[in-house]
Amino acid sequence: MIPAWSQIANLGAALAFILALKALSSPKTARLGNRIGAVGAIAAVAIVFFSESNLKHLPLILIAVAFGTIVGIVAAKKVQMTQMPQMVALFNGVGGGAAMAVSSIEFLKAGATDGFVALFATVFTVVIGSISFTGSIVTFLKLQELMTSRPVVLPLGRFITIGTALATLVMSVYLMIFPEIWALWTLVALSLVMGILFVLPVGGADVPIVISLLNAFTGLSVAASGYVLDNVLLLVAGTLVGASGTLLTQLMAKAMGRPLTSTLFGAFTAKASTATASAVDRPVKSAGPTDIAIMLTYATKVIIVPGYGLAVAQAQQSLRELVDLLISKGVEVEYAIHPVAGRMPGHMNVLLAEADVPYEQLKEMDEINSEFANASVAVVVGANDVVNPAARTDKSSPIFGMPILNADQAEQVVFMKRSMRPGFAGVENELLFNDKTTLLFGDAKDSLSKVVAAVKSM
Amino acid sequence: MSIEIALLTIFILSIFVGFEVVSKVSTILHTPLMSGANAIHGVILVGAIIVTGHADNNLELTLGLVAIVLATINMVGGFVVTDRMLELFKSKKSTKAGDKK
């Protein structure tokens, strides 16, 4: 029996998690919220060493905790802010893996003696935890660009996915009726494969939504393992994350104009798709840094559209330098932040905050979209998909329906790009070929500092 | 049976609390919020410690220790990386306040 004091302490930890999520939803209290959550979690772990009588293998457990702590801290401290989304994906995946392992062990020990509902919860944790584990690893590989970020469609992929899903379902039912150990391992293997198949066909733009969804998945599997272990804290914490994660996934999908179902069931409906690689050798207008500098200096209003390419080139500082310079010359400058600029909602705000860009200059999409028509120049730095007019007009485009920044309504458009390579979603951008568009090829940081030098010399 | 009903009750109520607490989140905080929630489910570490502490054979022990390492990475890494993200927001906030004075 778990002592009463520890149950009350666990209630405190659960409360800390609720307060943490609440505080994390508001900019003023977010950091405090995260710390409240951390304190709750550390307390919960500390409690278990005292409340659980006769824990065996204590030295090994402590070594494992210490090892995980070191790995976690080093990974979290070393990761660059640009790579943060994939790090979150990875942290989420290992959590799912842990939940799956915990329920598996409990099954090995107790078998069917815990009752049918516990058996169902075990199956649930194993399936969802495994999917979250391998699915998160695939999203990590996609974002880290260790594999293509485009949808991967296997030959007959649809049938393989549906087949695996059915096999997983059958095995789940089998395990609940005949709780045998080989069935457990088969289910684990099937679910791990299912996680890979689930994420492979997801296209670049949908990856953040999938990370959020897998995060909710892991939460639910932790909740289910809490049920298996009769542990109220795990149940509450897991459910909180599962529910808030599901809502967050919906909010994100809405911000990106992506129907959630198409992301979710992409794996089941994916066809060998319409990768539109239209003529690459179409004429574009490009110019040197001096021309761009003149254009910007004599503009009355400039709107900057920063994207992930800016962050990859570590060019936020140079960008801010250019903006400060232009402002000192009397040009009105603002940043237009697309909700998913960068790789995730809010990611660009984090990256620009890192470069000390004043908060007031950052405008969200709804605020700024009507302003483009009054702007002399829209400067698109390392962004592509978020200004692609195909999202408004081309129904066959994979990004159709995504709200975009109206950069094409500015008098002139400047693109700073490394190459003509399409954006993360893998879609050609018509705006590049528009008459009012000028391209400045090169590394964003390099281009920006050249433009800064040119503006200075004027 | 009553323990199961109790757990079910807690489960259902927690769903509503989970929905409610994040319902007013602003877009710029989506990423940190996801990351923070991610760290919270690292509390599966508690479960990993319990099952490992009662492991009876090498298979259970090995799986359990792996689960502990993974869960700890999830929890510790999650909170640390969220704090790093939010630190940036904080510095922005304070400069903003400074400008106004």
Side-chain angles (χ1 to χ4, degrees):
Chain A
M1 187 59 205
I2 308 160
W5 67 266
S6 83
Q7 289 189 12
I8 290 180
N10 273 338
L11 176 65
L15 211 60
F17 293 152
I18 295 173
L19 291 173
L21 286 174
K22 182 80 192 158
L24 271 167
S25 324
S26 157
K28 275 185 207 142
T29 52
R31 199 172 187 201
L32 177 67
N34 184 52
R35 295 190 165 172
I36 294 174
V39 169
I42 293 169
V45 173
I47 291 163
V48 82
F49 283 109
F50 298 101
S51 64
E52 280 289 318
S53 48
N54 56 49
L55 281 179
K56 291 183 285 187
H57 316 296
L58 257 184
L60 282 174
I61 291 177
L62 290 172
I63 290 171
V65 170
F67 178 68
T69 306
I70 292 168
V71 174
I73 289 181
V74 169
K77 286 270 182 198
K78 281 222 160 170
V79 64
Q80 290 178 353
M81 273 297 149
T82 46
Q83 294 171 336
M84 187 260 311
Q86 49 266 51
M87 189 47 82
V88 174
L90 211 55
F91 286 152
N92 175 50
V94 294
M100 177 260 281
V102 167
S103 283
S104 300
I105 298 168
E106 185 61 21
F107 178 82
L108 293 179
K109 298 171 77 65
T113 56
D114 274 354
F116 182 76
V117 184
L119 208 51
F120 175 79
T122 305
V123 168
F124 183 87
T125 314
V126 165
V127 173
I128 300 295
S130 304
I131 288 177
S132 184
F133 182 57
T134 49
S136 296
I137 289 173
V138 176
T139 55
F140 171 80
L141 294 176
K142 279 185 186 239
L143 288 172
Q144 194 68 29
E145 289 175 2
L146 294 172
M147 63 176 283
T148 173
S149 62
R150 294 184 180 207
V152 176
V153 181
L154 303 169
L156 298 175
R158 236 177 120 171
F159 301 101
I160 297 175
T161 310
I162 292 172
T164 312
L166 282 177
T168 310
L169 195 67
V170 169
M171 215 58 228
S172 304
V173 174
Y174 183 93
L175 188 62
M176 280 187 268
I177 302 170
F178 307 103
E180 294 158 17
I181 287 174
W182 71 267
L184 175 77
W185 299 131
T186 314
L187 185 64
V188 168
L190 280 170
S191 309
L192 289 173
V193 174
M194 193 61 222
I196 298 174
L197 292 173
F198 173 61
V199 179
L200 270 185
V202 174
D206 284 338
V207 169
I209 299 179
V210 168
I211 295 179
S212 176
L213 188 70
L214 291 177
N215 185 40
F217 274 16
T218 307
L220 288 177
S221 64
V222 169
S225 65
Y227 187 91
V228 175
L229 296 177
D230 282 341
N231 186 305
V232 175
L233 179 64
L234 290 187
L235 181 69
V236 171
T239 312
L240 284 174
V241 177
S244 62
T246 306
L247 185 66
L248 191 58
T249 309
Q250 280 172 346
L251 292 175
M252 272 193 193
K254 214 166 119 196
M256 298 173 74
R258 307 286 303 170
L260 196 52
T261 44
S262 82
T263 311
L264 266 178
F265 299 109
F268 299 97
T269 53
K271 297 180 276 286
S273 73
T274 55
T276 48
S278 54
V280 189
D281 50 353
R282 288 167 63 187
V284 291
K285 192 168 65 182
S286 72
T290 330
D291 304 309
I292 307 290
I294 293 170
M295 194 193 287
L296 294 177
T297 319
Y298 294 104
T300 48
K301 184 179 171 95
V302 172
I303 298 179
I304 312 273
V305 179
Y308 187 68
L310 172 82
V312 170
Q314 292 290 311
Q316 301 97 307
Q317 291 288 354
S318 313
L319 179 65
R320 193 181 60 109
E321 205 181 328
L322 174 65
V323 170
D324 290 349
L325 202 56
L326 290 174
I327 290 176
S328 74
K329 295 206 178 237
V331 184
E332 195 188 340
V333 190
E334 282 172 332
Y335 296 83
I337 310 293
H338 191 273
V340 292
R343 286 282 155 91
M344 270 192 195
H347 191 193
M348 186 51 68
N349 302 65
V350 174
L351 295 171
L352 289 176
E354 204 180 9
D356 288 327
V357 171
Y359 189 65
E360 306 88 80
Q361 288 173 8
L362 304 182
K363 301 283 177 198
E364 291 194 28
M365 184 168 66
D366 298 338
E367 277 179 273
I368 197 132
N369 251 349
S370 54
E371 306 249 334
F372 276 103
N374 308 323
S376 338
V377 189
V379 184
V380 183
V381 192
N384 195 343
D385 298 327
V386 296
V387 293
N388 191 341
R392 280 199 296 258
T393 53
D394 182 4
K395 282 203 171 130
S396 67
S397 172
I399 59 169
F400 180 72
M402 178 170 97
I404 58 163
L405 292 163
N406 302 330
D408 55 334
Q409 289 174 3
E411 245 170 79
Q412 289 187 294
V413 183
V414 173
F415 265 94
M416 296 197 188
K417 276 180 75 61
R418 263 179 308 179
S419 66
M420 286 300 286
R421 216 166 64 98
F424 195 53
V427 192
E428 199 69 67
N429 189 348
E430 275 304 311
L431 188 55
L432 292 172
F433 308 104
N434 195 302
D435 281 342
K436 59 184 176 190
T437 302
T438 312
L439 276 83
L440 176 57
F441 285 114
D443 171 75
K445 189 173 190 173
D446 198 41
S447 299
L448 279 166
S449 37
K450 278 182 189 155
V451 175
V452 168
V455 173
K456 269 186 188 155
S457 69
M458 269 193 297
Chain B
M1 203 57 200
S2 67
I3 175 95
E4 292 186 354
I5 300 292
L7 289 174
L8 187 68
T9 311
I10 294 167
F11 174 66
I12 305 272
L13 293 179
S14 300
I15 291 177
F16 281 93
V17 174
F19 272 119
E20 193 54 40
V21 286
V22 301
S23 59
K24 291 185 195 80
V25 63
S26 65
T27 318
I28 58 162
L29 281 172
H30 278 182
T31 301
L33 176 61
M34 187 213 298
S35 183
N38 176 37
I40 287 176
H41 66 51
V43 79
I44 183 67
L45 176 57
V46 169
I49 291 172
I50 294 174
V51 291
T52 311
H54 298 118
D56 294 324
N57 55 46
N58 282 336
L59 174 65
E60 290 173 16
L61 181 61
T62 315
L63 257 181
L65 290 173
V66 170
I68 290 180
V69 172
L70 294 181
T72 316
I73 293 175
N74 181 192
M75 191 177 109
V76 176
F79 283 119
V80 173
V81 87
T82 312
D83 194 61
R84 269 189 67 195
M85 272 182 238
L86 293 168
E87 186 179 22
L88 302 171
F89 279 92
K90 194 190 145 236
S91 71
K92 184 176 67 191
K93 285 281 157 192
S94 60
T95 50
K96 189 188 171 190
D99 288 347
K100 276 184 181 167
K101 275 174 196 169

